[in-house]
Amino acid sequence: MKTVIKNISKLVQCEQSPVKFKAGDKMKELNSISNAYIEIENSLITDFGTMEEWKGIDDWNTTKIIDADNGMILPCYCDSHTHLVFADSRENEFNDRINGLSYQEIANNGGGILNSAKKIEKIDDELLYEKSLKRLDQLILKGTGAIEIKSGYGLSLQSELKILRVIKRLKENSRATIKSTFLGAHAIPSEYKNNKNEYIDLIINEMLPAIASEGLADFIDIFCEKGYFDINDTRKLLQAGKKYGLKGKTHVNQFNSFGGVKESIVNGCISVDHLEVMNEEDFLAFENTNCIATLLPSCSFFLGIPYSPAKEFIKRNIPFNLASDFNPGSSPSGNMNFVSSLGSIKLKLNAEQVINATTINGAYAMQIQEKFGSISIGKKANFFITKPIPSYQYLHYSFGENLINKVFLEGVEIK
Ligand code: NIG
Ligand code: FE
């Protein structure tokens, strides 16, 4: 069965020759076709062009026609950094922050990641799966078609496995494309408070082999930050991950810069994430590498910390993507429409840069750019149709509004 969507006011981010990612001046480039159609078959994009170019229908029995009603089509968001599998929200900590405590102070008082870990230990597997699936389904309707999900609220072999098995079930049962990341080194559990090395050994010698033997992770991650894990831990962990074929994606420079960016990149990370605090040495570490930066503006918004210097990345020709960091502590929203608005309002990116950063560059950060992140023949038919809007800039300008009319994943409309 073929599907043709016609009367698209603008088909945005379409590529004749797909690129891996866009950086520097290229981020301003965004190809789109006005008054367009798109054809899909067997989950893939098979053709697109202007309505004048459309050859019409050759077999009415095998072609379904959908009218876009003059909405625009954009490729679905590729959200490369989330912690979507968590047990419960943490609005009590939010309240403490409103009353003056910092994110770090809350963590030092037993809140934060350790608080989420306690909740994961108690929750039943099935309930955790159901809650996570519901969150994922809601994000799909907001335009997310591919998503990375981390563990890291387990911090014990059993609980990390619990989260990663839930992610595996989500992969099997959702039309969204999912990449999973093992983040055992997210925080030091209280029983290892004075013995961090023993916890690192547990991650490397017990968790990693068990996770690898079940094929539960695509990537490995660590929170490299004061009070959490340092440069040596980062090196050890990334090298251990490599033995199991897991490339790194690290949390670095959220609050402090002390060499985590360079350590991550020399150890082959596909992305380094957060980067709210950047110095010259951190920027230089990116030169002549294939590593992409992942910026998380909703975390800055929610915690009231600095925004990553996105324009400096552009100036230096360093590729970056924008992701949601969806998690209960520092970004309790996975809404990529809001991330896009922040990209424009707070990071001062223009609409073309925001769209590249949330689609093709997000796909590259998950290593799925061959099949996702743009409208091109042979890529997966993952896109959304907007309500009629005056321009694609309007998507970022009208923050908080829901402008998505229909979402298609692998060519199927998601209701
Ligand atoms: O990416 N920074 C570390 N990890 C998460 C937050 C985790 C939490 O507070 O629960 C983040 O922001
Ligand atoms: Fe994170």
Side-chain angles (χ1 to χ4, degrees):
M1 191 78 183
K2 222 188 247 182
T3 303
V4 177
I5 305 178
K6 60 174 194 169
N7 297 331
I8 305 162
S9 67
K10 224 182 235 307
L11 186 62
V12 182
Q13 180 69 310
C14 35
E15 295 182 306
Q16 298 294 351
S17 349
V19 295
K20 271 187 163 179
F21 59 77
K22 286 185 186 158
D25 281 347
K26 293 255 181 264
M27 281 193 80
K28 269 196 279 189
E29 293 175 10
L30 187 75
N31 192 38
S32 37
I33 300 175
S34 296
N35 191 23
Y37 75 94
I38 185 168
E39 184 189 274
I40 56 193
E41 196 170 4
N42 295 331
S43 86
L44 302 178
I45 297 166
T46 47
D47 192 20
F48 59 83
T50 63
M51 281 305 287
E52 290 89 63
E53 286 161 349
W54 184 38
K55 293 177 204 78
I57 295 160
D58 38 49
D59 185 352
W60 283 95
N61 294 320
T62 56
T63 309
K64 184 177 165 193
I65 301 282
I66 295 172
D67 200 313
D69 292 325
N70 280 317
M72 293 192 183
I73 285 191
L74 281 89
C76 277
Y77 298 119
C78 296
D79 185 355
S80 78
H81 181 138
T82 83
H83 309 247
L84 173 138
V85 178
F86 54 86
D88 265 313
S89 56
R90 301 206 315 253
E91 66 278 8
N92 50 333
E93 294 178 10
F94 172 56
N95 206 39
D96 290 344
R97 256 191 330 101
I98 288 174
N99 290 327
L101 288 186
S102 71
Y103 180 75
Q104 287 101 321
E105 283 166 335
I106 291 166
N108 294 341
N109 295 342
I113 297 163
L114 296 186
N115 185 4
S116 281
K118 270 188 227 140
K119 295 173 197 257
I120 283 282
E121 199 183 336
K122 292 197 197 101
I123 195 171
D124 167 75
D125 300 28
E126 194 57 35
L127 183 59
L128 183 62
Y129 170 72
E130 278 164 22
K131 284 184 164 207
S132 306
L133 181 63
K134 203 163 154 197
R135 281 179 207 129
L136 179 61
D137 285 345
Q138 281 167 0
L139 291 188
I140 292 171
L141 295 177
K142 292 188 172 87
T144 297
I147 189 166
E148 180 259 16
I149 309 175
K150 300 172 193 299
S151 67
Y153 290 130
L155 310 179
S156 70
L157 175 62
Q158 280 321 313
S159 294
E160 284 294 305
L161 284 172
K162 188 191 275 187
I163 300 174
L164 289 163
R165 286 175 185 150
V166 164
I167 302 174
K168 187 177 178 203
R169 282 179 72 188
L170 296 174
K171 282 187 183 188
E172 287 161 359
N173 296 316
S174 173
R175 276 207 189 267
T177 293
I178 299 171
K179 289 284 166 188
S180 69
T181 300
F182 169 48
L183 175 57
H186 197 192
I188 303 157
S190 11
E191 37 317 359
Y192 293 92
K193 204 172 158 197
N194 300 314
N195 207 347
K196 189 188 61 180
N197 286 340
E198 217 176 282
Y199 183 57
I200 291 278
D201 287 345
L202 177 79
I203 295 176
I204 292 177
N205 301 328
E206 292 184 36
M207 295 190 195
L208 249 179
I211 287 159
S213 76
E214 275 188 55
L216 291 174
D218 301 302
F219 302 108
I220 188 160
D221 197 343
I222 183 166
F223 188 17
C224 177
E225 184 55 65
K226 285 190 182 157
Y228 295 82
F229 298 94
D230 62 23
I231 298 292
N232 286 330
D233 304 328
T234 304
R235 182 184 316 119
K236 258 171 102 173
L237 190 93
L238 291 173
Q239 290 179 356
K242 218 178 276 176
K243 291 195 186 122
Y244 293 93
L246 303 181
K247 283 196 179 159
K249 293 169 82 58
T250 55
H251 284 70
V252 283
N253 291 40
Q254 183 177 2
F255 302 106
N256 297 286
S257 163
F258 52 87
V261 174
K262 190 167 174 202
E263 197 60 52
S264 302
I265 295 177
V266 298
N267 284 293
C269 276
I270 182 64
S271 75
V272 288
D273 304 29
H274 272 288
L275 310 176
E276 286 85 350
V277 180
M278 288 290 285
N279 65 26
E280 184 62 23
E281 201 191 317
D282 298 319
F283 280 118
L284 290 177
F286 279 98
E287 276 184 9
N288 305 316
T289 72
N290 291 321
C291 183
I292 186 165
T294 299
L295 315 185
L296 309 165
S298 38
C299 171
S300 298
F301 173 80
F302 188 72
L303 293 185
I305 62 174
Y307 286 87
S308 189
K311 294 209 97 160
E312 191 60 31
F313 284 94
I314 294 184
K315 213 166 112 194
R316 292 170 183 257
N317 210 29
I318 301 167
F320 68 87
N321 70 113
L322 299 181
S324 74
D325 197 15
F326 186 21
N327 77 77
S330 67
S331 176
S333 158
N335 187 341
M336 288 294 285
N337 300 291
F338 183 59
V339 169
S340 300
S341 285
L342 289 177
S344 129
I345 298 162
K346 294 295 186 180
L347 304 184
K348 309 283 180 220
L349 303 172
N350 62 36
E352 292 77 14
Q353 291 163 334
V354 168
I355 293 170
N356 282 317
T358 51
T359 59
I360 188 64
N361 285 9
Y364 178 75
M366 291 184 272
Q367 300 274 276
I368 54 169
Q369 73 282 353
E370 302 284 324
K371 285 280 171 206
F372 299 89
S374 67
I375 305 290
S376 13
I377 292 174
K379 282 200 181 184
K380 288 280 181 190
N382 276 26
F383 49 75
F384 56 83
I385 309 179
T386 69
K387 294 173 185 166
I389 46 172
S391 63
Y392 52 68
Q393 282 87 351
Y394 187 83
L395 289 169
H396 312 147
Y397 157 87
S398 61
F399 74 94
E401 218 182 315
N402 179 9
L403 295 166
I404 294 180
N405 194 7
K406 289 184 174 148
V407 178
F408 289 79
L409 293 185
E410 301 187 325
V412 176
E413 187 182 344
I414 307 294
K415 303 255 185 187

